[in-house]
Amino acid sequence: MRLAVTGATGFVGGAVCRAATAAGWEVTAFGRRAAADGRHLGGAAYRPWDIGAAKLADPPDVDAVVHCAASATGTGVADEVWRTNLLGTHHVLASFPDCRIVHVSSAGVYDPFRPTVRAKEHEGPVSRYLDAYAAAKAAAERLVLAVGDRPVVLRPHAVYGPGDTTLLPRLLENVRAGRLPVPGTGRVLVSMTAVDALARACLLAATGTAAGVFNIADSEPVPIGWALRGLLASAGVPARPLYVPAALVTPVARVFPRGRVNRYVISQFAMERTLDITAAIDRLGYEPEPTTFPPRRLKV
Ligand SMILES: NC(=O)c1ccc[n+]([C@@H]2O[C@H](COP(=O)([O-])OP(=O)(O)OC[C@H]3O[C@@H](n4cnc5c(N)ncnc54)[C@H](OP(=O)(O)O)[C@@H]3O)[C@@H](O)[C@H]2O)c1
């Protein structure tokens, strides 16, 4: 199996590269930076490519592409987010017109204004979002499904595990004096996605015959407070969540839309965000495992 992976220098793309090379696949890894650590890529060959700039002049001959590259922080400048996440996806599709595309999207395409309760794939995308990241991911999904060759769209939520560049670092940035302020009660349920499980799902999608959209998450949702304590403990950080009622912080978020506790943060922490993963189990052969947080090293 010959695979190309975009976003290979990142958290998810690196895990996909390592899983694919461990399976004996021939992998070409793409990232934006000039050079990459071979261990992060599982020894895959590396090529720099800014996907927002242009399509590849000389794409490798591959059977499938796992497209992980994105401006993924959620705090990126809107122009850059759209350039990478939508125009970049167009360039990926144009570079590899005749091979299977596995597009790593996000459960962020579900309605941010309402709880996501065991969402099925047809419930997203929606027509309005709180940030450019979700809107651009939704637009990219539509593009992939319209023009991709047997395309697969995967929607993980809250990806965690070794080398996390997004979720855990963002939590740690907000810890003050041993407390992590969090809107809500900590009791709402959330679907988490282990990065290794997501990587396995990407390989299943690359080799399988099923096309379409699939939620990817661990076997059962967990209370968000339990997940936050587990993430903090796994990082060795002696901090605890401090819950602030959503009704108190929502008016503040309206006045300071770019503040730390903005409407997006409230929508993520104070509302249920759970996914139905039946389609991935039945049609991709995905085997989910329970959410666990063994001690992990932070990426440096
Ligand atoms: N992490 C999560 O919780 C989560 C949840 C749901 C969905 N996702 C999705 O999973 C995918 C991977 O996210 P991640 O967490 O692995 O993010 P990440 O660690 O920030 O990695 C992003 C990757 O995209 C590359 N990239 C960014 N801009 C690029 C550009 N203009 N041209 C080429 N490459 C570019 C980066 O390359 P350089 O580092 O070399 O610049 C890096 O390899 C994204 O599509 C994201 O939307 C993530």
Side-chain angles (χ1 to χ4, degrees):
M1 181 77 184
R2 297 161 307 168
L3 186 73
V5 180
T6 71
T9 46
F11 173 39
V12 175
V16 173
C17 283
R18 294 190 295 278
T21 55
W25 296 9
E26 184 183 320
V27 180
T28 308
F30 291 96
R32 183 175 41 183
R33 67 191 71 175
D37 179 348
R39 287 167 303 178
H40 182 78
L41 307 176
Y46 181 71
R47 289 179 58 182
W49 173 25
D50 178 352
I51 62 166
K55 72 175 194 171
L56 266 183
D58 54 346
D61 201 5
V62 294
D63 303 301
V65 178
V66 177
H67 174 35
C68 303
S71 177
T73 61
T75 55
V77 176
D79 284 356
E80 176 58 20
V81 169
W82 281 99
R83 176 183 175 276
T84 302
N85 296 7
L86 183 58
L87 183 60
T89 298
H90 164 69
H91 289 145
V92 170
L93 293 165
S95 303
F96 299 97
D98 300 318
C99 69
R100 190 167 173 81
I101 298 285
V102 179
H103 174 66
V104 179
S105 184
S106 168
V109 303
Y110 291 112
D111 192 342
F113 295 92
R114 294 187 316 171
T116 309
V117 181
R118 304 260 179 181
K120 290 190 184 297
E121 286 78 357
H122 69 83
E123 294 176 44
V126 293
S127 55
R128 56 193 189 146
Y129 291 101
L130 286 165
D131 61 346
Y133 170 74
K137 293 299 280 189
E141 274 197 8
R142 290 188 173 104
L143 179 66
V144 169
L145 292 169
V147 307
D149 177 20
R150 296 159 295 141
V152 178
V153 170
L154 302 181
R155 290 183 188 152
H157 183 252
V159 185
Y160 66 95
D164 182 357
T165 52
T166 310
L167 178 59
L168 182 58
R170 231 183 283 168
L171 294 179
L172 297 184
E173 272 171 21
N174 287 291
V175 171
R176 300 277 183 282
R179 306 307 294 268
L180 172 66
V182 178
T185 63
R187 288 194 291 272
V188 296
L189 293 174
V190 61
S191 288
M192 305 288 296
T193 309
V195 70
D196 292 344
L198 177 56
R200 286 198 307 277
C202 288
L203 301 203
L204 285 168
T207 48
T209 53
V213 184
F214 300 92
N215 292 329
I216 302 294
D218 295 343
S219 51
E220 285 299 328
V222 295
I224 195 165
W226 183 87
L228 292 172
R229 290 194 304 277
L231 286 164
L232 293 168
S234 74
V237 174
R240 285 185 300 136
L242 171 67
Y243 298 106
V244 187
L248 273 185
V249 287
T250 300
V252 180
R254 285 211 182 93
V255 178
F256 302 105
R258 296 187 183 281
R260 277 177 189 266
V261 183
N262 51 47
R263 291 170 73 194
Y264 175 78
V265 169
I266 295 167
S267 82
Q268 289 301 307
F269 287 90
M271 284 185 201
E272 176 164 340
R273 298 286 169 210
T274 57
L275 304 176
D276 183 321
I277 55 172
T278 312
I281 294 168
D282 290 350
R283 296 184 53 222
L284 287 181
Y286 173 63
E287 295 179 357
E289 292 176 4
T291 300
T292 51
F293 300 107
R296 297 186 190 282
R297 281 187 300 121
L298 282 177
K299 187 176 183 183
V300 287

